[in-house]
Amino acid sequence: MAEMTLIEAIRTALDEALAQDERVFVTGEDIGRRGGVFRATQGLYEKYGARRVMDSPLTEMGIIGVGIGAALADLRPVCEIQFADFIHPAFNQIVGEAARMYYRSAGGWQVPLVIRVPYGAVPGGGLYHCQSVEALFAHIPGLKIVVPSTPRDARRLLHGAILDPNPVLFLETKYGYRQIRGEVPEQDAPLLPGPARIAREGGDLSLFAWGLMAFYAEIAAERAAQEDGLDVEVVDLRTLHPLDQESVLGSLRKTGKALVVHEDTRTMGFGAEIAALLVDEAFEYLDGPVKRLTAPDVPAAPFNRGMFDYFLPGPDDIFAAIRELAAY
Amino acid sequence: MPDETGPGPSQRLSDDTLLEMYRLMLLSRRLDERAWALHRQGRVQFHVSAMGHEAAQVGAAFAIKRGVDYVVPYYRDLAMAIALGCSALDFMLGLFARRDDPWSAGRQMPCHFSDRGRHIISGSSTVATQVPQAAGLAFAIHYRQRAGLVDPQDATQPRLALTSLGEGSTNQGEWHEGMNWAGVQGLPMVCLVENNRYAISVPQTEQMAIPSVATRAASYGAQGESVDGNDVLAVHAAMHRAAQRAYRGEGPSLVEAHTYRLTPHTSDDDDRSYRSREEVAAAGEVEPLVRYRQTLLERGLLTPSRVDELEARTRAQVDEAQRAAEAAPEPAPEEADSPVLAPLPEGLT
């Protein structure tokens, strides 16, 4: 057992995957000698060489397109998009190509591709280093969307994503890279995309979140327990697509109240899908409105710190939302 | 080296191979004509034609290790697919969107080829998307060779990735990004540009400021060559040089085959608004099938009676494929909801 930050766990998983499977290689911008702008690949270039830890030209579309080709040829590419904000030039390769390949070839071709994407708000990031893109991609059949919120999950889900024969978008909360710490067992089995995690059990209210917001949700839930005696169940979704519907519905049936928290903007955010699912499948269990706490509908977190803090839901905001819904 | 200039490589093709190339061009052409007829009769929904491009495609296919090297074609490559071993029935099953359509089980438009066994990658309708993927396939070849996992001379393993597209598609960012990647890493990729002078309706002169796409190869450190795309042997010779460079580890090449689309873009297009009838008729005068037949007649490899015999045989093949495809079952409607995700391998849960 060792305590790690989120990014140390990701680096550990990459190191292990490179050691275990000769087909695994890592590519992206500045991931070689530089070790990645966030240091996710630090030391790996020295250890595995340029063939397996390969700086790409400056081309997001190329990183994904080449990754698709390599995956079709049965390698196991782990592609890094430096910031989620830069993924848009690769949108067509991800959405039009990787995600559709299996269906359009009637199962003839598979794309075992992992796309690692630092995402979400970070102080000082501004409009083009802060975007949350999960809802854009969660709409697309044929992609898996994974968002770990603990170091242990980051390590085992990254292994699981590499084992999965489908394209997996692996979203990493970059604001959480160094503030989220946790115990990581010495030996741990890979976790395939799919199951949610009940981060905290409770009977008064279900709080659904992922990534940084799942981390904050636990802090807020603890405060709600101490200050208000509320028993909040925190469901860390971990995989958005395919969604673990049973865990979501199971929790709501237990508590009767649902709060979704995401740092993505509000309209057509993934929270809307959770709300629709609950209304469709568990209407009679609802004891109140399905509430969403989200960022406002503006492009991304602004650069100015005060505006940034206003944009991004924090533990205090989540606590207030819990208190309000609990009182309904 | 004798391979580096002139038509050397195609002079070494055996008589049987030369005739096989003709037979495949002919089969593609007659399938194509039948598809147009079936569309005009309202019996199929859509067709996208390769007519006029057969020399470029068959010449290219015969320059690589067919069925082994990776091919990432585009929707106009019917003759390429046929030359790679896809059958008349494969085409017809796709044309009729039947359940057993081997390329997409009725999910994609016709001529969206896919054949894992033959290393033909499934394509979309969005042009140039296949180019970075071809670079990725070429990268995988290179990766395995450098890792010592395969012998670079082992012809039972893929040793290059061939991709193809129209000249208009080379204006797309994906073409640039894929070519650049292949160039900077010296990957075994060959890009065949089938230059038919129009991107649907917009002529090349309004697509780019240069007369030859091959010029663009220099930007990628790639070898560029333009060739008469209506001369199957000339295409074969240029493609052979490109393929040999790839096999020798000398990096990517671009072969531009100048040709002409003898039909509208697709069965939904009407080309009368953008191409004069005189221009189309003139292109028909130099079209590749008639031209190659003439070459083979002059060389004594074909005789008029042998030509007729091949026509009859091809027609029977097309008839039989059409009959079988029309009689083949439709997919159940609920197969629209087939899995979009591949199942997990055995042992993983």
Side-chain angles (χ1 to χ4, degrees), chain B residues 157-211:
Chain B
Q157 297 292 321
R159 289 180 298 158
L160 64 76
L162 166 63
T163 189
S164 53
L165 73 178
E167 83 290 350
S169 304
T170 69
N171 299 318
Q172 293 278 8
E174 272 157 319
W175 186 78
H176 165 71
E177 296 184 41
M179 288 294 290
N180 185 59
W181 192 303
V184 80
Q185 297 192 344
L187 301 179
M189 181 173 103
V190 179
C191 181
L192 172 69
V193 177
E194 302 178 28
N195 186 342
N196 62 23
R197 297 160 51 184
Y198 290 87
I200 302 189
S201 67
V202 180
Q204 187 187 343
T205 50
E206 293 173 38
Q207 293 276 348
M208 61 189 75
I210 48 174

Side-chain angles (χ1 to χ4, degrees), chain A residues 104-132:
Chain A
R104 82 185 187 199
S105 64
W109 290 101
Q110 302 179 357
V111 183
L113 169 68
V114 177
I115 307 170
R116 288 186 42 249
V117 189
Y119 89 106
V122 69
L127 300 185
Y128 295 95
H129 298 81
C130 280
Q131 293 171 30
S132 290

Side-chain angles (χ1 to χ4, degrees), chain B residues 30-335:
Chain B
R30 298 300 175 241
L31 284 168
D32 212 315
E33 289 167 345
R34 181 66 55 87
W36 282 97
L38 290 166
H39 181 266
R40 296 308 187 230
Q41 292 164 9
R43 291 156 82 181
V44 300
Q45 290 187 86
F46 179 82
H47 177 55
V48 56
S49 181
M51 281 169 60
H53 286 232
E54 294 92 342
Q57 295 171 14
V58 173
F62 272 73
I64 65 168
K65 181 79 175 170
R66 289 180 294 148
V68 175
D69 288 332
Y70 291 119
V71 179
V72 202
Y74 77 127
Y75 47 73
R76 203 171 300 291
D77 278 329
L78 175 59
M80 172 103 68
I82 294 290
L84 293 171
C86 297
S87 71
L89 180 59
D90 292 345
F91 167 72
M92 283 291 178
L93 287 166
L95 187 68
F96 283 97
R98 292 305 197 238
R99 184 192 68 194
D100 299 329
D101 155 29
W103 298 333
S104 82
R107 297 167 195 181
Q108 292 231 69
M109 286 176 145
C111 287
H112 286 58
F113 318 101
S114 172
D115 190 324
R116 191 179 173 96
R118 293 188 170 92
H119 287 174
I120 302 171
I121 311 300
S122 164
S124 66
S125 310
T126 317
V127 300
T129 53
Q130 69 272 33
V131 181
Q133 295 168 22
L137 289 152
F139 168 79
I141 292 167
H142 193 56
Y143 180 95
R144 287 200 167 89
Q145 290 175 351
R146 284 197 295 161
L149 299 171
V150 291
D151 175 358
Q153 302 310 316
D154 181 354
T156 67
Q157 297 292 321
R159 289 180 298 158
L160 64 76
L162 166 63
T163 189
S164 53
L165 73 178
E167 83 290 350
S169 304
T170 69
N171 299 318
Q172 293 278 8
E174 272 157 319
W175 186 78
H176 165 71
E177 296 184 41
M179 288 294 290
N180 185 59
W181 192 303
V184 80
Q185 297 192 344
L187 301 179
M189 181 173 103
V190 179
C191 181
L192 172 69
V193 177
E194 302 178 28
N195 186 342
N196 62 23
R197 297 160 51 184
Y198 290 87
I200 302 189
S201 67
V202 180
Q204 187 187 343
T205 50
E206 293 173 38
Q207 293 276 348
M208 61 189 75
I210 48 174
S212 167
V213 175
T215 311
R216 293 184 164 177
S219 311
Y220 310 113
Q223 196 77 27
E225 181 172 353
S226 280
V227 68
D228 180 350
N230 292 334
D231 179 345
V232 66
L233 299 181
V235 175
H236 176 266
M239 279 294 304
H240 183 84
R241 288 187 282 275
Q244 295 302 316
R245 274 194 292 277
Y247 293 151
R248 290 194 299 262
E250 293 171 14
S253 300
L254 188 170
V255 174
E256 177 187 29
H258 288 281
T259 183
Y260 196 80
R261 203 181 68 214
L262 296 174
T263 67
H265 166 61
T266 68
S267 55
D268 291 340
D269 181 34
D270 180 348
D271 64 340
R272 286 174 296 187
S273 63
Y274 59 84
R275 302 196 302 191
S276 73
R277 295 306 88 189
E278 293 72 24
E279 180 185 302
V280 177
E285 298 292 311
V286 295
E287 67 101 338
L289 184 66
V290 170
R291 213 166 128 183
Y292 188 41
R293 180 191 302 149
Q294 196 55 39
T295 302
L296 295 179
L297 284 164
E298 284 164 13
R299 288 195 191 182
L301 291 174
L302 278 180
T303 59
S305 66
R306 180 71 179 139
V307 167
D308 292 345
E309 191 188 317
L310 282 172
E311 284 288 353
R313 221 172 71 188
T314 302
R315 185 191 184 90
Q317 216 178 335
V318 173
D319 287 347
E320 171 54 22
Q322 180 194 325
R323 191 203 56 73
E326 273 193 291
E330 299 265 0
E334 57 272 25
E335 285 182 39

Side-chain angles (χ1 to χ4, degrees), chain A residues 37-81:
Chain A
V37 297
F38 292 104
R39 298 286 186 273
T41 54
Q42 190 166 38
L44 301 181
Y45 175 87
E46 291 76 8
K47 190 166 174 184
Y48 297 98
R51 182 173 64 86
R52 308 207 43 217
V53 182
M54 178 176 71
D55 277 320
S56 73
L58 192 45
T59 158
E60 288 79 16
M61 186 196 286
I63 290 166
I64 304 304
V66 166
I68 292 170
L72 291 167
D74 204 33
L75 294 183
R76 291 293 180 274
V78 181
C79 296
E80 179 181 299
I81 296 293

